[in-house]
Amino acid sequence: MVQQAVKFSDVYAIISSKCSNCHTANAQGDLRMASEDAAYAALVGVASSACAGRTRVIKGDPANSMLLATLKGTAPCAVARMPKNRTALSATEIATFESWIKAGAER
């Protein structure tokens, strides 16, 4: 069986259900993901505001993408696991993000 490539719409479905309570258009921080377009623009190739020298999503490089480290709770600086104060994403949900990044994090 051939595995289909993960699309950003698959990733955004998780973002909208698990992250949108805090990361809205009115979010206090700069990571606003109220729409699919806004989320993509805020994630891919954007420097992390929470961890100097890190990039939120590096196309093709899940190991060095801050987003994945934050979701796993393994961020290299003092950043809380996300979603903060909520149930962690499942291994399947994290694998969706990882597969998307590894495949090039395309829109």
Side-chain angles (χ1 to χ4, degrees), residues 1-106:
M1 181 176 194
V2 176
Q3 187 176 5
Q4 289 189 323
V6 176
K7 300 175 194 154
F8 186 65
S9 58
D10 302 321
V11 169
Y12 190 71
I14 299 167
I15 291 171
S16 65
S17 70
K18 305 285 179 126
C19 311
S20 63
N21 285 350
C22 297
H23 294 284
T24 65
N26 298 322
Q28 288 183 349
D30 64 344
L31 186 51
R32 294 177 177 94
M33 300 188 292
S35 72
E36 195 169 317
D37 289 337
Y40 189 84
L43 292 172
V44 179
V46 177
S48 169
S49 59
C51 193
R54 300 286 299 215
T55 301
R56 289 178 177 155
V57 172
I58 302 169
K59 291 182 175 192
D61 191 358
N64 289 302
S65 292
M66 183 67 182
L67 175 64
L68 201 57
T70 304
L71 294 175
K72 290 179 174 182
T74 61
C77 46
V79 175
R81 180 205 40 85
M82 294 292 162
K84 188 175 181 182
N85 300 322
R86 298 184 75 195
T87 303
L89 297 186
S90 69
T92 300
E93 290 168 325
I94 290 173
T96 298
F97 280 87
E98 189 165 9
S99 296
W100 169 69
I101 296 168
K102 187 174 185 177
E106 295 303 321

